[in-house]
Amino acid sequence: MTSYQPWYHGNITRSKAEDLLSKAARDGSFLLRGSESIQGAYALCVLYQNCVYTYRILPNEEKKISVQASEGVPIRFFSVLSELVDAYYSPNMGLVTQLQFPVPKEEEVEDDPEPSSHPPQLPPRNYAASDGKDGEAKCPEHPSLSLSETYLQRLQLVDMTGVPDDHQKAIQEYFRTAICLDAEQVQNGNPNLPGLKKLTMAICKNLNSEISRALPTLEAFQRSLDQQLSPGIGRSRTQIYTDSGQAMSFRVEQLTKLLYSIEEKAKLAVFESVGYDGGHRKSLIPPVTFEVKLESLGISTKMFLKVDVESGKVYFKKSKDGPEEKYFVHNKMLQLVKSQKMHSKLVIVVETEKEKVLRKEFVFDDTKKREGFCQLLQQMKNKHSDKPEPDMITVFVGTWNMGNASPTHNINSWFQCKGQGKTRDDTADHIPHDIYVIGTQEDPLGEKEWTDNLKNELRNITNISYKPVAIHTLWNIRIVVLVKPEHENRISHIFTDSVKTGIANTLGNKGAVGVSFMFNRTSFGFVNSHLTSGSEKKLRRNQNYINILRFLNLGDKKPNPFDITHQFTHLFWLGDLNYRIEFASTEAEHIVTKIKQQQYQELLSKDQLNTEKDEGKVFLHFDEEEITFAPTYRFERYTREKYAYTKAKATGTKYNLPSWCDRVLRKSYPLVHVVCQSYGCTNDIMTSDHSPVFATFEVGVASQFVSKHDPNSASQGGIKFMNCVATLLTKSKTKFFIEYHSSCLEKIVKTSEGENTEHSDGSIKVRFGSQVELIPIISDPEYLLDQHILICVKSTDCDESYGEGCVALRAAEYCYTEFHVTLTHHGERTGTLTGGIQLRTSEGKQTEKLYDFIKVEKDDPATSKGKGSDNTNKSALAHAIDISNPNYMGVCFKAGRAIDKGWSYSLPVADLHLGNLSPKKTVYDVGSRSPTGKAPSPVGEEEKPSEMFDNPLYGAMGKSWPKEQEPQHKGHLPTPDAIFAFPKAADVEADRPPVPTPRNRSFTFSTETKPPSAPVAPNPTSFKKPVMPSRSEGGSGGSANARPPLPVRSRPGLPDPQPPKPTRDYRDSTELPSKHRQPARSGQPQPQPKESKANLID
């Protein structure tokens, strides 16, 4: 039905079809493409008056196809597409205009310039010219004679003492004649070297007979071990043949592998016999001692901290070999606070026996030692936790192009993150990761052999027998996922798939393999890809990426509009992406010099992946940790000291400049916890021309939720979207609606059609005036605040997506919040969606997460003294914020520039002046390490507490308001309705629907019109750095009349809401909690905090 026709474009994207029609620029231009929403259907795209009209072509039960044209036009059925197109060349067929000008494919045009422009730079060499006229006939003979003479001369210089005479004669005979015959065989296309095989068989005659005798015995022993491990399960085994005609090297290799396999199986048999399961509790991490300096009252004292993970204790010692009398157990270690200014400094907050809280400041030798200490304490807290399910795991992601060479037997440095870049400290060597994901390219090993190698390496390092979750291979591209045994039952919904992107997208030498699964309630996706090679083939790599996005089928395999970038909470993309450094070949030595000097910034500025990513062409909104290691390609094998950047070919010299081909990137949902702990490459694994790359991540996960409340008595939750406006970069003439997808919803929810407004820049602004309320299946905040809503803007004509995005419900934890989401489709930016969201949950509280245990704090002289309780100091305390991972705020910072993350949230400025219901904390964690962190603004004795839920997670981004520009808040928020605390609609702007709040402070860096001047607020503060969000703009004072109306849950006559349990945050010494302090109730004045004696370090 789809035989070649010039107007049929196959599975091109909708946006590509629009571009082709726009370039045609003639009414009646048309093309056909595959439908994105219905399998087996097509889309007819027609250009008329600079707009693209799309009509679906659907098959019926009899496989006849018809066009869904205008109503009132009789439907006609056709057998093939060509008949249909011919018929619609006629007018009055129900289309906006008749078909006139078919738009041909552009694929052939794109591929031609690349090969045609490259050869002139590589002039061909004529090897026969140097041999004269007879060179072509003499070529096979001349190198053979030269080769024979060369090796006979070398043989004379070798000491042959101890070599049997018959072996000496055999070697001489081979060099004299057989090596020439082998050379001729190679030239004729036979690489088997029969002469060499005959020689090795003669030399190893006795060894060969011994192997033939030993192999059956070893195989029988191996089978007995298999039966012992898996009784009753018959498995077909690949036998090692005893054919004496096989190459000797192959037989020795098989013997070696068999011995390794027997050793592995024997270990497993012994482990099982003694009940050893290799689980997390069996993993023994030896005690580690750190030499530190204790900072107290400006005096540094040398001390030693000994961490014993297994016993759950941290010892504080004055000398390395001193007594271990003073220690704190794991549940008395309250918090670790990292210094942002001094990277080797760490504050440890502990609780004493008398229930006092001590805040001790230590300085480590370097940052890596501090990180190793923090990781060990996290491991200790996790190991001795009484929680049934983990809320944080660590993930190792590794990629290696093996160069079709078997690895060495020791690749421990890869899994221990040793080498160059951001690496782990030696003290963390024995800390196991929860999940290991290993991607390889040009992998010469079989699946079982490679998996066994990986399990052996990990067992040697961690003493844990990891369990394979998924293995998937496409030719020599492979991905392996291994998990701790204790997590095996937490893994579900495992899917694997592959996409070929080789020649004509039919060969699997290039492409991708992927794995996805659920870890409890958190979804993970991993993609290992090997993209097109060649410095000049950047555009083909970009197309490889788009094809993988479109056709890699992971997760929920039923048709839906979301590709893999939106399907998973965390998506990791690894592999040999093959993007190169865009330098001229004459700059090769300059590049090598820069690498030796470890000056990478100039090279990274010309990195193709960075430039294409910055322009939004590939990996839109993906994150990559800063690269601080040398290019991983192209080395001479068996050394890491020299780059082999030239390769002689028949067409001339090909340049492969040193490049960062091997990469690890990730993309996560908004407001989730994920931190990259390491990113680098090894420098001691040298069998390939690529170095292995490693990356490790600390990832927050959600456990399976079991409500503690009676579902019949719990109040119903609600999610309300309002004032949504979509700006779409399209020329399509159609109507649009929104679909809301989420696992917390029983079904997909659709809106009514929006109102279109066309703009001169070619975009369409669609206003969805109606409010949409979504009813979640569970209303408990512990469950609901971890959920995300996937949004899709679709067309009514073809039911195809014009852009997808994601909104985190945590953004609306306390009050109405506006959002701004970049819409994407098949990896391309297709527009934006703005609107508001408000959340209603049942009563409940969130539990503290393991990742809340570590905070990162900016040093501030006003907060480090730990004294003073006046209003000025407390106002300054609110500026002690956590900026360790700005990704939570929708932007990240690299090389001093902000990178859009694809989403941002904002709160009404009035909300920033309101305190939280919890009186316990004065410093708020912005969420850079914990998206669940909570803290209040400080409230004095004579100030009333907040009467409205505050959202401390989202402060304003940008400069604080000057005194003369402090916005006025009076009367902005009208009375909420009876169900939601939703503000009513306000005045209407020209091109967007009513907005219920004043203009919000957004976490993007766009230039905005300054607000009108307003009265000066008390205790104004300002930012030192405009990129850091703050919660204390304007302080907590202000007249009572300036407060907005109360939401329903806080209004008189209704039960008081339960304040959420705050995450402990002891980053400042003025608010050190004690169990003797009674928490204040909501609606009562909070006492002013007093200076605590626990601030003094004994």
Side-chain angles (χ1 to χ4, degrees), residues 634-637 642-647 656:
R634 179 179 184 254
F635 288 102
E636 282 193 4
R637 295 180 190 246
K642 185 176 181 181
Y643 285 95
Y645 52 81
T646 60
K647 180 190 289 186
N656 286 305

Side-chain angles (χ1 to χ4, degrees), residues 47 250 425 528 722 735:
L47 183 69
F250 175 77
D425 187 62
N528 172 30
M722 62 194 80
K735 291 289 186 178

Side-chain angles (χ1 to χ4, degrees), residues 816-952:
Y816 173 89
T817 302
E818 288 201 345
F819 61 85
H820 182 285
V821 177
T822 299
L823 297 176
T824 64
H825 187 61
H826 294 324
E828 298 177 303
R829 184 180 183 275
T830 59
T832 60
L833 179 70
T834 60
I837 180 175
Q838 188 149 358
L839 181 67
R840 183 186 65 230
T841 67
S842 61
E843 293 184 1
K845 59 183 180 180
Q846 291 195 79
T847 58
E848 186 175 349
K849 309 295 186 182
L850 178 60
Y851 44 78
D852 293 324
F853 176 59
I854 298 179
K855 306 291 183 183
V856 178
E857 181 178 46
K858 184 192 74 167
D859 290 291
D860 192 328
T863 64
S864 60
K865 296 179 181 179
K867 293 188 178 183
S869 57
D870 58 354
N871 290 338
T872 304
N873 257 350
K874 288 185 296 182
S875 178
L877 290 178
H879 285 285
I881 58 173
D882 180 345
I883 57 171
S884 65
N885 187 357
N887 296 343
Y888 291 119
M889 309 311 297
V891 289
C892 64
F893 306 94
K894 291 185 179 179
R897 56 195 175 93
I899 300 176
D900 177 29
K901 300 298 299 176
W903 51 268
S904 61
Y905 301 101
S906 58
L907 278 177
V909 179
D911 291 339
L912 298 177
H913 302 270
L914 301 175
N916 190 280
L917 292 179
S918 168
K920 202 166 190 178
K921 301 189 313 181
T922 59
V923 182
Y924 172 62
D925 175 10
V926 174
S928 34
R929 281 200 63 93
S930 167
T932 63
K934 304 177 181 66
S937 295
V939 181
E941 289 181 354
E942 294 154 11
E943 297 170 353
K944 294 184 179 180
S946 169
E947 295 177 335
M948 184 173 182
F949 283 95
D950 189 14
N951 188 347

Side-chain angles (χ1 to χ4, degrees), residues 5 13 116 127 163 208 264 291 380 418 477 493 500 507 527 534 538 558 563 574 797 863 970 983 1058 1071 1075:
Q5 296 289 348
T13 62
S116 63
Y127 292 104
V163 178
N208 190 43
E264 163 70 9
E291 181 178 332
M380 181 179 71
K418 297 294 183 62
I477 309 171
H493 300 79
K500 300 174 183 177
L507 294 183
V527 179
K538 174 177 63 178
K558 64 183 179 183
D563 59 37
L574 55 141
D797 54 8
T863 64
K970 182 175 180 179
Q1058 293 292 329
E1071 278 288 330
K1075 292 187 177 179

Side-chain angles (χ1 to χ4, degrees), residues 268 271 276-279 459 462-467 483-485:
L268 290 177
F271 289 166
Y276 175 77
D277 61 357
R459 183 181 297 108
T462 65
N463 202 28
I464 296 176
S465 294
Y466 278 80
K467 302 293 184 181
V483 301
K484 284 181 179 178

Side-chain angles (χ1 to χ4, degrees), residues 646-664:
T646 60
K647 180 190 289 186
K649 286 198 169 186
T651 55
T653 302
K654 179 178 176 61
Y655 283 88
N656 286 305
L657 298 179
S659 299
W660 287 278
C661 292
D662 311 283
R663 312 286 273 268
V664 177

Side-chain angles (χ1 to χ4, degrees), residues 72-263:
V73 178
I75 298 178
R76 295 183 57 183
F77 293 92
F78 304 89
S79 300
V80 293
L81 281 176
S82 56
E83 292 181 3
L84 182 149
V85 171
D86 290 342
Y88 280 85
Y89 272 101
S90 304
N92 303 321
M93 293 291 289
L95 305 183
V96 65
T97 184
Q98 68 193 76
L99 305 184
Q100 299 182 58
F101 310 107
V103 176
K105 292 183 179 181
E106 203 178 32
E107 295 174 351
E108 291 78 14
V109 180
E110 291 180 358
D111 288 345
D112 287 339
E114 294 180 1
S116 63
S117 61
H118 188 63
Q121 302 175 7
L122 301 174
R125 295 180 179 179
N126 189 349
Y127 292 104
S130 60
D131 298 330
K133 296 181 180 179
D134 300 328
E136 187 176 348
K138 295 179 181 178
C139 191
E141 188 176 341
H142 177 71
S144 300
L145 293 173
S146 174
L147 194 63
S148 176
E149 292 172 353
T150 300
Y151 282 97
L152 282 172
Q153 291 177 2
R154 291 183 182 179
L155 186 61
Q156 293 176 0
L157 303 177
V158 176
D159 183 10
M160 303 292 284
T161 305
V163 178
D165 292 340
D166 56 337
H167 289 181
Q168 292 186 30
K169 291 179 181 179
I171 295 173
Q172 290 172 357
E173 186 63 25
Y174 175 74
F175 285 150
R176 187 175 291 112
T177 58
I179 195 172
C180 301
L181 298 175
D182 280 351
E184 290 179 359
Q185 290 283 334
V186 171
Q187 287 182 336
N188 292 331
N190 180 14
N192 292 330
L193 304 181
L196 178 62
K197 182 178 179 181
K198 183 179 178 181
L199 173 65
T200 54
M201 292 299 295
I203 294 174
C204 302
K205 181 179 180 181
N206 296 333
L207 176 61
N208 190 43
S209 62
E210 284 296 319
I211 291 177
S212 298
R213 194 164 67 93
L215 278 178
T217 306
L218 293 174
E219 287 180 346
F221 182 42
Q222 183 191 39
R223 286 195 297 272
S224 67
L225 290 172
D226 285 342
Q227 291 170 3
Q228 180 180 353
L229 291 175
S230 304
I233 301 177
R235 298 182 181 179
S236 59
R237 295 289 177 179
T238 303
Q239 300 295 324
I240 302 178
Y241 298 105
T242 57
D243 179 13
S244 60
Q246 287 182 310
M248 195 63 220
S249 59
F250 175 77
R251 303 196 71 204
V252 172
E253 181 183 4
Q254 293 302 310
L255 176 65
T256 304
K257 292 178 179 178
L258 183 58
L259 291 172
Y260 275 114
S261 176
I262 289 174
E263 181 182 356

